[in-house]
Amino acid sequence: MIRHEPSIPFSVQMNFQHLYPEAVLEDAYENDWGAVEVCFTDQEAFSVGFFNKNGDWLMTDHYLGEHETPYFMNYYLESMADNYFSAIAILRERPKERPYYMLEIEPESEQPPMKIKFTEAGELINFWQVWREEIYMN
């Protein structure tokens, strides 16, 4: 249960509490896109829920530790062991969709970061690379 946080819209707090009644709130803030990000732990796992200002749930990313990462993601990472700097495994949930897994890989070389999307059963759904954007401030 979370206490009332004046910086978080009350509708977000209520929907968050309904979705994750056992969660412990770590942080919450409005991001650059106008969504409210609620960072929390639930059964010792770190997650981030995204809500609009009306309190509607948009999605939740559950960051997976080494022991929670599915075998098919570990298998994929093992095949790339010499070519990446870091990797993040995520279980993503969205309203009215089946949950899916995301693997975000930061290569050691000059290659762009990769994102790989898997079904719950381990089937590859999508693979893409994203070049970093450099932002210069005057």
PDB file of all heavy atoms in Angstrom, residues 6-22:
ATOM      1  N   PRO A   6       1.671  13.817  -2.865  1.00  0.00           N
ATOM      2  CA  PRO A   6       1.111  14.984  -3.538  1.00  0.00           C
ATOM      3  C   PRO A   6       1.658  15.204  -4.950  1.00  0.00           C
ATOM      4  O   PRO A   6       0.984  15.771  -5.793  1.00  0.00           O
ATOM      5  CB  PRO A   6       1.494  16.159  -2.639  1.00  0.00           C
ATOM      6  CG  PRO A   6       1.969  15.573  -1.368  1.00  0.00           C
ATOM      7  CD  PRO A   6       2.319  14.155  -1.612  1.00  0.00           C
ATOM      8  N   SER A   7       2.874  14.718  -5.241  1.00  0.00           N
ATOM      9  CA  SER A   7       3.465  14.926  -6.560  1.00  0.00           C
ATOM     10  C   SER A   7       2.913  13.963  -7.611  1.00  0.00           C
ATOM     11  O   SER A   7       3.154  14.136  -8.794  1.00  0.00           O
ATOM     12  CB  SER A   7       4.987  14.774  -6.484  1.00  0.00           C
ATOM     13  OG  SER A   7       5.316  13.475  -6.047  1.00  0.00           O
ATOM     14  N   ILE A   8       2.167  12.963  -7.189  1.00  0.00           N
ATOM     15  CA  ILE A   8       1.601  11.967  -8.108  1.00  0.00           C
ATOM     16  C   ILE A   8       0.092  12.175  -8.153  1.00  0.00           C
ATOM     17  O   ILE A   8      -0.547  12.255  -7.106  1.00  0.00           O
ATOM     18  CB  ILE A   8       1.886  10.535  -7.617  1.00  0.00           C
ATOM     19  CG1 ILE A   8       3.363  10.335  -7.333  1.00  0.00           C
ATOM     20  CG2 ILE A   8       1.397   9.513  -8.624  1.00  0.00           C
ATOM     21  CD1 ILE A   8       3.650   9.052  -6.592  1.00  0.00           C
ATOM     22  N   PRO A   9      -0.493  12.256  -9.361  1.00  0.00           N
ATOM     23  CA  PRO A   9      -1.956  12.382  -9.416  1.00  0.00           C
ATOM     24  C   PRO A   9      -2.622  11.258  -8.620  1.00  0.00           C
ATOM     25  O   PRO A   9      -2.200  10.100  -8.676  1.00  0.00           O
ATOM     26  CB  PRO A   9      -2.258  12.275 -10.912  1.00  0.00           C
ATOM     27  CG  PRO A   9      -1.006  12.721 -11.588  1.00  0.00           C
ATOM     28  CD  PRO A   9       0.115  12.256 -10.694  1.00  0.00           C
ATOM     29  N   PHE A  10      -3.660  11.626  -7.881  1.00  0.00           N
ATOM     30  CA  PHE A  10      -4.346  10.659  -7.024  1.00  0.00           C
ATOM     31  C   PHE A  10      -4.887   9.480  -7.831  1.00  0.00           C
ATOM     32  O   PHE A  10      -4.837   8.336  -7.387  1.00  0.00           O
ATOM     33  CB  PHE A  10      -5.468  11.350  -6.246  1.00  0.00           C
ATOM     34  CG  PHE A  10      -6.101  10.467  -5.217  1.00  0.00           C
ATOM     35  CD1 PHE A  10      -5.390  10.066  -4.097  1.00  0.00           C
ATOM     36  CD2 PHE A  10      -7.403  10.016  -5.381  1.00  0.00           C
ATOM     37  CE1 PHE A  10      -5.971   9.230  -3.150  1.00  0.00           C
ATOM     38  CE2 PHE A  10      -7.986   9.186  -4.441  1.00  0.00           C
ATOM     39  CZ  PHE A  10      -7.261   8.789  -3.318  1.00  0.00           C
ATOM     40  N   SER A  11      -5.364   9.747  -9.061  1.00  0.00           N
ATOM     41  CA  SER A  11      -5.896   8.667  -9.902  1.00  0.00           C
ATOM     42  C   SER A  11      -4.800   7.662 -10.248  1.00  0.00           C
ATOM     43  O   SER A  11      -5.065   6.457 -10.336  1.00  0.00           O
ATOM     44  CB  SER A  11      -6.512   9.241 -11.177  1.00  0.00           C
ATOM     45  OG  SER A  11      -5.559  10.023 -11.880  1.00  0.00           O
ATOM     46  N   VAL A  12      -3.563   8.125 -10.436  1.00  0.00           N
ATOM     47  CA  VAL A  12      -2.436   7.224 -10.696  1.00  0.00           C
ATOM     48  C   VAL A  12      -2.178   6.377  -9.456  1.00  0.00           C
ATOM     49  O   VAL A  12      -1.989   5.162  -9.540  1.00  0.00           O
ATOM     50  CB  VAL A  12      -1.170   8.008 -11.099  1.00  0.00           C
ATOM     51  CG1 VAL A  12       0.050   7.091 -11.143  1.00  0.00           C
ATOM     52  CG2 VAL A  12      -1.369   8.711 -12.435  1.00  0.00           C
ATOM     53  N   GLN A  13      -2.175   7.026  -8.289  1.00  0.00           N
ATOM     54  CA  GLN A  13      -1.930   6.300  -7.048  1.00  0.00           C
ATOM     55  C   GLN A  13      -2.968   5.200  -6.826  1.00  0.00           C
ATOM     56  O   GLN A  13      -2.618   4.078  -6.448  1.00  0.00           O
ATOM     57  CB  GLN A  13      -1.940   7.263  -5.862  1.00  0.00           C
ATOM     58  CG  GLN A  13      -0.784   8.239  -5.881  1.00  0.00           C
ATOM     59  CD  GLN A  13      -0.842   9.167  -4.701  1.00  0.00           C
ATOM     60  OE1 GLN A  13      -0.840   8.715  -3.575  1.00  0.00           O
ATOM     61  NE2 GLN A  13      -0.908  10.457  -4.967  1.00  0.00           N
ATOM     62  N   MET A  14      -4.214   5.515  -7.082  1.00  0.00           N
ATOM     63  CA  MET A  14      -5.274   4.528  -6.857  1.00  0.00           C
ATOM     64  C   MET A  14      -5.151   3.341  -7.820  1.00  0.00           C
ATOM     65  O   MET A  14      -5.290   2.196  -7.413  1.00  0.00           O
ATOM     66  CB  MET A  14      -6.654   5.189  -6.990  1.00  0.00           C
ATOM     67  CG  MET A  14      -6.940   6.212  -5.908  1.00  0.00           C
ATOM     68  SD  MET A  14      -6.791   5.548  -4.231  1.00  0.00           S
ATOM     69  CE  MET A  14      -8.106   4.355  -4.231  1.00  0.00           C
ATOM     70  N   ASN A  15      -4.902   3.619  -9.095  1.00  0.00           N
ATOM     71  CA  ASN A  15      -4.782   2.536 -10.066  1.00  0.00           C
ATOM     72  C   ASN A  15      -3.528   1.712  -9.805  1.00  0.00           C
ATOM     73  O   ASN A  15      -3.559   0.483  -9.905  1.00  0.00           O
ATOM     74  CB  ASN A  15      -4.789   3.077 -11.491  1.00  0.00           C
ATOM     75  CG  ASN A  15      -5.222   2.020 -12.487  1.00  0.00           C
ATOM     76  OD1 ASN A  15      -5.726   0.969 -12.122  1.00  0.00           O
ATOM     77  ND2 ASN A  15      -5.027   2.310 -13.748  1.00  0.00           N
ATOM     78  N   PHE A  16      -2.439   2.358  -9.437  1.00  0.00           N
ATOM     79  CA  PHE A  16      -1.210   1.645  -9.099  1.00  0.00           C
ATOM     80  C   PHE A  16      -1.457   0.704  -7.923  1.00  0.00           C
ATOM     81  O   PHE A  16      -1.089  -0.470  -7.957  1.00  0.00           O
ATOM     82  CB  PHE A  16      -0.087   2.626  -8.772  1.00  0.00           C
ATOM     83  CG  PHE A  16       1.129   1.961  -8.205  1.00  0.00           C
ATOM     84  CD1 PHE A  16       1.998   1.261  -9.022  1.00  0.00           C
ATOM     85  CD2 PHE A  16       1.394   2.008  -6.857  1.00  0.00           C
ATOM     86  CE1 PHE A  16       3.114   0.628  -8.510  1.00  0.00           C
ATOM     87  CE2 PHE A  16       2.507   1.387  -6.323  1.00  0.00           C
ATOM     88  CZ  PHE A  16       3.369   0.690  -7.148  1.00  0.00           C
ATOM     89  N   GLN A  17      -2.103   1.212  -6.887  1.00  0.00           N
ATOM     90  CA  GLN A  17      -2.388   0.402  -5.699  1.00  0.00           C
ATOM     91  C   GLN A  17      -3.298  -0.780  -6.042  1.00  0.00           C
ATOM     92  O   GLN A  17      -3.132  -1.865  -5.509  1.00  0.00           O
ATOM     93  CB  GLN A  17      -3.025   1.271  -4.623  1.00  0.00           C
ATOM     94  CG  GLN A  17      -3.199   0.567  -3.301  1.00  0.00           C
ATOM     95  CD  GLN A  17      -3.656   1.522  -2.221  1.00  0.00           C
ATOM     96  OE1 GLN A  17      -3.417   2.718  -2.287  1.00  0.00           O
ATOM     97  NE2 GLN A  17      -4.319   0.985  -1.226  1.00  0.00           N
ATOM     98  N   HIS A  18      -4.251  -0.557  -6.953  1.00  0.00           N
ATOM     99  CA  HIS A  18      -5.139  -1.637  -7.390  1.00  0.00           C
ATOM    100  C   HIS A  18      -4.362  -2.715  -8.154  1.00  0.00           C
ATOM    101  O   HIS A  18      -4.567  -3.912  -7.950  1.00  0.00           O
ATOM    102  CB  HIS A  18      -6.261  -1.070  -8.255  1.00  0.00           C
ATOM    103  CG  HIS A  18      -7.131  -2.109  -8.868  1.00  0.00           C
ATOM    104  ND1 HIS A  18      -8.056  -2.836  -8.157  1.00  0.00           N
ATOM    105  CD2 HIS A  18      -7.190  -2.575 -10.144  1.00  0.00           C
ATOM    106  CE1 HIS A  18      -8.658  -3.690  -8.960  1.00  0.00           C
ATOM    107  NE2 HIS A  18      -8.150  -3.560 -10.167  1.00  0.00           N
ATOM    108  N   LEU A  19      -3.457  -2.295  -9.065  1.00  0.00           N
ATOM    109  CA  LEU A  19      -2.696  -3.243  -9.882  1.00  0.00           C
ATOM    110  C   LEU A  19      -1.627  -3.988  -9.091  1.00  0.00           C
ATOM    111  O   LEU A  19      -1.378  -5.169  -9.329  1.00  0.00           O
ATOM    112  CB  LEU A  19      -2.029  -2.511 -11.047  1.00  0.00           C
ATOM    113  CG  LEU A  19      -2.947  -2.032 -12.160  1.00  0.00           C
ATOM    114  CD1 LEU A  19      -2.198  -1.085 -13.089  1.00  0.00           C
ATOM    115  CD2 LEU A  19      -3.482  -3.222 -12.936  1.00  0.00           C
ATOM    116  N   TYR A  20      -0.961  -3.283  -8.180  1.00  0.00           N
ATOM    117  CA  TYR A  20       0.172  -3.850  -7.446  1.00  0.00           C
ATOM    118  C   TYR A  20       0.006  -3.602  -5.944  1.00  0.00           C
ATOM    119  O   TYR A  20       0.724  -2.804  -5.351  1.00  0.00           O
ATOM    120  CB  TYR A  20       1.484  -3.242  -7.960  1.00  0.00           C
ATOM    121  CG  TYR A  20       1.670  -3.429  -9.446  1.00  0.00           C
ATOM    122  CD1 TYR A  20       1.458  -2.375 -10.340  1.00  0.00           C
ATOM    123  CD2 TYR A  20       2.013  -4.676  -9.957  1.00  0.00           C
ATOM    124  CE1 TYR A  20       1.611  -2.565 -11.705  1.00  0.00           C
ATOM    125  CE2 TYR A  20       2.172  -4.870 -11.322  1.00  0.00           C
ATOM    126  CZ  TYR A  20       1.970  -3.810 -12.184  1.00  0.00           C
ATOM    127  OH  TYR A  20       2.113  -4.006 -13.542  1.00  0.00           O
ATOM    128  N   PRO A  21      -0.942  -4.285  -5.313  1.00  0.00           N
ATOM    129  CA  PRO A  21      -1.249  -4.009  -3.902  1.00  0.00           C
ATOM    130  C   PRO A  21      -0.104  -4.315  -2.935  1.00  0.00           C
ATOM    131  O   PRO A  21      -0.029  -3.705  -1.872  1.00  0.00           O
ATOM    132  CB  PRO A  21      -2.463  -4.899  -3.615  1.00  0.00           C
ATOM    133  CG  PRO A  21      -2.436  -5.950  -4.655  1.00  0.00           C
ATOM    134  CD  PRO A  21      -1.792  -5.337  -5.864  1.00  0.00           C
ATOM    135  N   GLU A  22       0.801  -5.203  -3.291  1.00  0.00           N
ATOM    136  CA  GLU A  22       1.903  -5.569  -2.395  1.00  0.00           C
ATOM    137  C   GLU A  22       3.190  -4.804  -2.706  1.00  0.00           C
ATOM    138  O   GLU A  22       4.212  -5.004  -2.051  1.00  0.00           O
ATOM    139  CB  GLU A  22       2.177  -7.077  -2.496  1.00  0.00           C
ATOM    140  CG  GLU A  22       0.986  -7.944  -2.159  1.00  0.00           C
ATOM    141  CD  GLU A  22       0.518  -7.766  -0.717  1.00  0.00           C
ATOM    142  OE1 GLU A  22       1.375  -7.690   0.173  1.00  0.00           O
ATOM    143  OE2 GLU A  22      -0.707  -7.708  -0.498  1.00  0.00           O
TER     144      GLU A  22
END
